[in-house]
Amino acid sequence: MADQDYKGVRTEGRLIPPPVSISAEARAHLEAMVGPDGIPAGLLGANPSPDDHPAWRELKTIANARIIEMMQPRFASVTSTVETIELGGARVHVATPANAGPDDRAYVDIHGGALVYGEGEMCRMGAQLQAMLHGVRVYGIDYRTPPEHPYPAALDDCVGAYRALLDRYRPDRLVMGGSSAGGNLAAALALRARDEGLPLPASLLLMTPEVDLTESGDTFQTNQRLDVVLPRPLMNTNLLYAAGHDLADPYLSPLFGDFTKGFPRTLIQAGTRDLFLSNAVRMHRALRRANVPVELHIFEGMPHGGFGGSSPEDAELAGEVKRFVRESWGA
């Protein structure tokens, strides 16, 4: 091949097995997510075009059911109770653990789901799981989603709920976290709250965050198919959510925000097989350059969202999250 023809690395036909460097439970999870042809089906399947709203509604029904099914094993031992309220114009699920800790603090949970999925039952279940982990009351924001409610509906709901929570809690008693799309909204909420003059929460947890809807990072190429949960980019999903707005706007892609004006202490997590690994790495560097206190935790062989919740790696990650949250409250 002539030098002028060289455009990149060719990888067709290469088989990449689960690494021996991870636990048996983690390897089993990776193997279970791949078909006999060696191609991962992924969690969400192929995405319709952004303007095919009937197809999106159908896909949402299928995807939400599958997500809930995958969450059920982790939910079997949950004892926290939950009630649904309206808070700042948003629907919020309030989960309370059986042995709740101090009532002067709370965790705000923003669910994942590619900014399109995860409303309703998944959001409620997620709030209950977080309440069990942290031992405090958890507010799960059940934000509105496309195609009926594109940007900025989800962010408006999150800001409205956060503004109302500031009437109940001191900002340094609030910790906010989200996975994937929830990481996007948690970071965007911090930027918008700051820009609107609201006090910032004690800290943020951005778990495998979807903070760059332009998908400009390296691993959107290198981890395609290697990520068994998100084997392909989500550009059609991003365009559906953005509804014609600039994908590089910091409220849509928080990676491009100005963090020198203030941003909470942050924990960022991803895995070496995560399609969003570049998001985590770049967000970490952006916060470091702005002198924001930040931790980055990258797990070996981990795809988007972890190893299903039952591996030693998942338990280790949960321990890091719990420790970070307690430190944020000064515990």
Side-chain angles (χ1 to χ4, degrees):
M1 180 185 295
D3 289 346
Q4 62 267 26
D5 295 329
Y6 180 77
K7 300 295 182 183
V9 178
R10 298 187 184 276
T11 61
E12 290 87 349
R14 183 181 178 191
L15 177 66
I16 303 176
V20 297
S21 53
I22 59 177
S23 68
E25 294 89 344
R27 290 197 301 274
H29 178 76
L30 293 183
E31 292 169 358
M33 295 290 288
V34 178
D37 56 1
I39 298 176
L43 182 62
L44 305 177
N47 296 317
S49 65
D51 57 355
D52 190 350
H53 290 186
W56 278 105
R57 294 186 188 97
E58 181 179 356
L59 178 59
K60 284 180 68 173
T61 299
I62 296 170
N64 283 335
R66 186 174 183 196
I67 292 169
I68 292 170
E69 180 183 1
M70 293 181 69
M71 291 178 68
Q72 286 296 341
R74 299 175 57 199
F75 199 70
S77 61
V78 167
T79 58
S80 52
T81 60
V82 65
E83 64 171 329
T84 301
I85 65 172
E86 186 274 336
L87 195 61
R91 181 170 58 179
V92 175
H93 306 296
V94 186
T96 305
N99 298 306
D103 201 40
D104 68 336
R105 63 198 64 184
Y107 186 90
V108 183
D109 184 48
I110 307 181
H111 71 79
L115 298 163
V116 176
Y117 314 100
E119 69 272 23
E121 183 64 17
M122 174 184 160
C123 181
R124 283 193 296 272
M125 292 170 69
Q128 289 180 269
L129 288 168
Q130 292 297 327
M132 290 282 290
L133 178 63
H134 299 298
V136 299
R137 184 167 290 116
V138 170
Y139 294 82
I141 304 176
D142 200 348
Y143 54 84
R144 291 169 292 165
T145 57
E148 291 81 8
H149 304 288
Y151 176 83
L155 185 55
D156 286 346
D157 287 350
C158 291
V159 172
Y162 178 68
R163 189 184 295 272
L165 284 171
L166 289 173
D167 293 331
R168 302 185 178 198
Y169 299 93
R170 286 171 25 198
D172 64 344
R173 301 286 88 185
L174 292 172
V175 173
M176 187 178 307
S179 176
S180 191
N184 174 297
L185 288 167
L189 168 54
L191 291 173
R192 199 169 121 182
R194 179 200 68 193
D195 294 346
E196 293 183 4
L198 297 176
L200 295 176
S203 64
L204 294 183
L205 292 100
L206 308 181
M207 316 303 289
T208 181
E210 192 177 6
V211 288
D212 176 14
L213 298 191
T214 72
E215 299 189 339
S216 57
D218 183 44
T219 57
F220 283 101
Q221 299 297 323
T222 60
N223 279 356
Q224 283 193 41
R225 289 200 178 184
L226 192 60
D227 188 335
V228 296
V229 176
L230 291 181
R232 62 187 69 84
L234 299 176
M235 185 52 69
N236 281 357
T237 314
N238 301 343
L239 293 172
L240 173 72
Y241 173 74
H245 292 85
D246 182 5
L247 292 177
D249 186 305
Y251 293 163
L252 284 158
S253 294
L255 174 64
F256 305 122
D258 181 356
F259 305 112
T260 63
K261 297 179 180 179
F263 200 76
R265 175 175 178 260
T266 301
L267 181 147
I268 304 172
Q269 174 271 331
T272 61
R273 294 196 174 198
D274 192 341
L275 189 71
F276 292 169
L277 173 58
S278 283
N279 288 350
V281 170
R282 296 169 71 201
M283 188 72 172
H284 174 250
R285 295 315 310 168
L287 294 180
R288 288 284 295 164
R289 286 192 292 268
N291 294 317
V292 175
V294 58
E295 297 183 13
L296 176 65
H297 297 264
I298 305 298
F299 282 76
E300 170 77 348
M302 186 177 282
H304 186 72
F307 292 119
S310 59
S311 73
E313 290 89 344
D314 291 312
E316 185 177 348
L317 173 56
E320 293 284 7
V321 166
K322 188 174 182 178
R323 183 266 313 162
F324 181 84
V325 170
R326 292 192 176 213
E327 288 179 357
S328 299
W329 287 321

